[in-house]
Amino acid sequence: IIHWYKQKEGKAPERLLYLSGGKATTESGFQSDRYTVERNSAWKQCVFTIKDVIPDDAATYYCAYWDPHLIGYYNKVFGSGTKLIVSDKGSSPPANSEILQKKHENQITYVCLIEKFYPEVIRVTWTDDEKEVTDNVVKGDTWQSTKEDEYSIASWLTVPAENKDKKYYCRYEHEEEKASLPTQALFPVNPVKTAPQEGDCRTVFNRGNLMYHLKHRTAYLVYIILLLKSSMYYLIVLFFIYR
C-alpha cells in the first residue's frame, strides 16, 4: 500500500490518498478528479500526477509505506519528497558559481558559492575522483539575493592540509543546469600577479555576500541564546518569589 502526502510550508503533512490493490482512495476534502496514481511493479515505481495545477498545489509531496521488517512493529517510511513550486516566472540557472578557499593550520576549507538561480530547489554535493564525499561537509540554506526572485546557496568542505593537491568537485543540479566545479584550479603552478579585473571585483563582492549571510545567521543564533537565558533567569526568579 502506497500513501501520498502533501505538506505545505509550516504545516503538518496531510494524506491525499493511498493506493491499494491497484485502486486509489482519495481522502475527503481533496479534488480526486485532478489526482491520478499509477504503479509499475516491474520497475518498483509509483507515479503521482496532478492535473491542472493551481497555486494552492505548491507544497512538498511525499510517498510513504508501512515497513513490517521489525517483528511486532511497523514504521512508516517516507521518501525524500518532491517540492512543487507554482509560479508565472520561468526558471533560470545560476548566474555565477565559484569555489573560495581558506587555509588553516592543518586543514583547508573550500566554500562552494552558487548564486542567482530560480527556483530555490537545488542539490549540491562534493565528490573526489572516485566517489561522493560526505564527511566534514556542511550545506547552508538557500537565501534570497538582492532580487526577491533570485536565490543563492553555499556549501563547505573541510579537508586535511596534506590533501591540498587532491582534486575535489562541487557538483550542483538545478532543473535548468548541472555543473561541476573543480578545486584544482585554485592552485596554479606559476601564479602571476595582475591588476584587479572585473572578475576579481566580482569575487570580492561574492565573498561579501557570503560573509554577510554568515554574520546574519550567527547574530540570529546569539540573539536566540540570550533570549532563552533571560527566560530561564525569569523563571528562576519567579520560582523563588512564589516559594
Side-chain angles (χ1 to χ4, degrees), residues 40-77:
N40 188 326
S41 301
W43 291 91
K44 297 183 179 180
Q45 290 181 342
C46 183
V47 180
F48 172 51
T49 304
I50 305 176
K51 297 185 296 183
D52 301 325
V53 173
I54 60 177
D56 188 59
D57 292 326
T60 301
Y61 293 84
Y62 298 91
C63 60
Y65 75 102
W66 289 103
D67 184 7
H69 289 156
L70 296 177
I71 299 177
Y73 296 92
Y74 280 82
N75 293 322
K76 180 163 279 191
V77 180

Side-chain angles (χ1 to χ4, degrees), residues 50-220:
I50 305 176
K51 297 185 296 183
D52 301 325
V53 173
I54 60 177
D56 188 59
D57 292 326
T60 301
Y61 293 84
Y62 298 91
C63 60
Y65 75 102
W66 289 103
D67 184 7
H69 289 156
L70 296 177
I71 299 177
Y73 296 92
Y74 280 82
N75 293 322
K76 180 163 279 191
V77 180
F78 284 77
S80 57
T82 299
K83 187 171 185 178
L84 173 63
I85 298 172
V86 182
S87 173
D88 294 332
K89 175 181 170 58
S91 57
S92 57
N96 178 63
S97 57
E98 61 182 320
I99 296 180
L100 312 176
Q101 73 168 38
K102 176 65 176 178
K103 291 184 178 180
H104 304 279
E105 294 181 357
N106 57 353
Q107 61 186 15
I108 300 173
T109 298
Y110 299 110
V111 180
C112 183
L113 180 61
I114 305 167
E115 294 184 298
K116 299 179 181 179
F117 53 87
Y118 183 85
E120 66 268 30
V121 180
I122 193 170
R123 179 182 292 111
V124 182
T125 57
W126 288 90
T127 62
D128 54 22
D129 289 327
E130 300 176 355
K131 60 183 184 307
E132 181 178 346
V133 178
T134 56
D135 294 336
N136 300 317
V137 172
V138 177
K139 180 183 175 183
D141 298 327
T142 55
W143 73 88
Q144 287 185 325
S145 303
T146 53
K147 294 182 179 180
E148 292 185 358
D149 55 355
E150 292 182 343
Y151 293 85
S152 299
I153 194 172
S155 180
W156 293 260
L157 169 66
T158 302
V159 299
E162 56 265 27
N163 290 356
K164 67 178 183 178
D165 295 326
K166 186 174 182 179
K167 185 187 294 185
Y168 295 92
Y169 299 88
C170 173
R171 302 181 186 273
Y172 68 81
E173 298 179 48
H174 188 261
E175 66 178 59
E176 284 294 321
E177 185 179 75
K178 296 181 181 180
S180 179
L181 308 176
T183 59
Q184 190 179 46
L186 299 174
F187 299 99
V189 177
N190 296 312
V192 178
K193 293 184 178 180
T194 59
Q197 302 295 324
E198 181 179 357
D200 300 323
C201 297
R202 182 198 64 207
T203 300
V204 174
F205 174 74
N206 289 335
R207 291 184 182 183
N209 276 352
L210 178 61
M211 293 306 298
Y212 173 81
H213 178 65
L214 295 178
K215 289 180 180 178
H216 176 75
R217 288 176 61 84
T218 302
Y220 176 76

